[in-house]
Amino acid sequence: MERPRMEREPSASEAAPVAAALFAWGANSYGQLGLGHKEDVLLPQQLNDFCKPRCIRRITGGGGHSAIVTDEGDLFVCGLNKDGQLGLGHTEDVPYFTPCKSLLGCPIQQVACGWDFTIILTENGQVLSCGSNSFGQLGAPHGPRRCVVPQAIELHEEKIVCIAAGLRHALAATVSGIVFQWGTGLASCGRRLCPGQTLPLFFTAKEPSRVTGLENSKAMCVIAGSDHSASLTDAGEVYVWGSNKHGQLATEAAFLTVPQKIEAHCFQNEKVTAVWSGWTHLVAQTGLLWLRA
């Protein structure tokens, strides 16, 4: 009797391509959904083909603006632009995703949107910023109160590998794992919750200032919420500082003026491989740890 033939599962390279699409929904007062209008959207709506969805590398949003980075390193932006946070050279809101033409030919690796500003990381490790500078969040202490075209930030000589933006502060991590912070957004909260204490310089700096207290760790990436900051190390550890109003820092202190490691037992003694932040909360993933070269 002939044995039945077993069908071979197709390999990943042989599998049929999966159709990709980009959807947006929710608040849309400034056109931040990129749908071409400013009406709120209750159900997911597919965006027009401003770029191939399969080629999108990153999507992020700020107080009222959104940004997309493609695999080719192009930057598309839309939404609120009253402070020039879209980097388009003007201050008119844009209700559809449009390319940041001033950065054409300068491949982008990552973009981070704050409340009213944007931080941009190029593939060669340079950091740019645009938007409001009222709290020094653009990292240009002697610059104007706002900037409508992305301008370079003078940072450490090392290559920057990761950036993050909060309400009114920003972060950057270098290839050797050093963390910088700038923007005074956390300072008022710190002074109110820690009366009589002198805040470290990085809380009040309007230009990149090294975050002290992380000297014995190597940051893989940085993360920011509204009034808190975090870093993930190559050892799979998470350090946090800033406001703990909603318990997002996993401590009893109301405000951490010095980075504090979240104890490993909080993650069932597993190494953390990724961390994300909302406005007032954090999410962490554990599992196999891939070290950066």
Side-chain angles (χ1 to χ4, degrees), residues 161-181:
V161 296
C162 185
I163 55 173
L167 179 66
R168 296 183 177 115
H169 75 289
L171 300 160
T174 72
V175 68
S176 68
I178 299 173
V179 176
F180 289 88
Q181 180 172 299

Side-chain angles (χ1 to χ4, degrees), residues 72-253:
E72 293 77 24
D74 294 326
L75 174 62
F76 290 83
V77 291
C78 69
L80 181 62
N81 193 38
K82 73 180 183 65
D83 290 298
Q85 53 263 57
L86 300 187
L88 300 176
H90 60 77
T91 56
E92 298 296 323
D93 294 350
V94 178
Y96 50 86
F97 279 104
T98 187
C100 190
K101 293 182 179 180
S102 64
L103 297 177
L104 292 178
C106 178
I108 304 305
Q109 175 66 31
Q110 183 189 357
V111 60
C113 297
W115 181 255
D116 51 13
F117 68 103
T118 305
I119 305 295
I120 301 162
L121 175 64
T122 69
E123 289 190 351
N124 63 10
Q126 183 182 36
V127 180
L128 311 171
S129 62
C130 57
S132 172
N133 195 35
S134 298
F135 294 84
Q137 60 266 55
L138 298 189
H142 307 296
R145 289 184 64 84
R146 70 181 185 185
C147 183
V148 299
V149 176
Q151 299 293 322
I153 298 177
E154 292 186 11
L155 259 160
H156 199 276
E157 292 182 359
E158 289 187 57
K159 179 180 180 180
I160 302 300
V161 296
C162 185
I163 55 173
L167 179 66
R168 296 183 177 115
H169 75 289
L171 300 160
T174 72
V175 68
S176 68
I178 299 173
V179 176
F180 289 88
Q181 180 172 299
W182 62 94
T184 63
L186 304 185
S188 59
C189 182
R191 293 190 186 100
R192 184 176 67 255
L193 296 175
C194 303
Q197 290 190 36
T198 300
L199 296 177
L201 178 61
F202 63 85
F203 279 106
T204 59
K206 294 185 177 181
E207 58 186 343
S209 177
R210 182 169 180 172
V211 176
T212 52
L214 296 173
E215 291 78 9
N216 296 322
S217 65
K218 180 180 178 181
M220 284 176 51
C221 69
V222 285
I223 307 97
S226 172
D227 294 306
H228 64 264
S229 302
S231 70
L232 173 63
T233 74
D234 61 351
E237 299 171 331
V238 179
Y239 285 82
V240 291
W241 60 97
S243 173
N244 189 42
K245 181 179 180 180
H246 300 276
Q248 63 265 46
L249 306 188
T251 181
E252 295 183 358

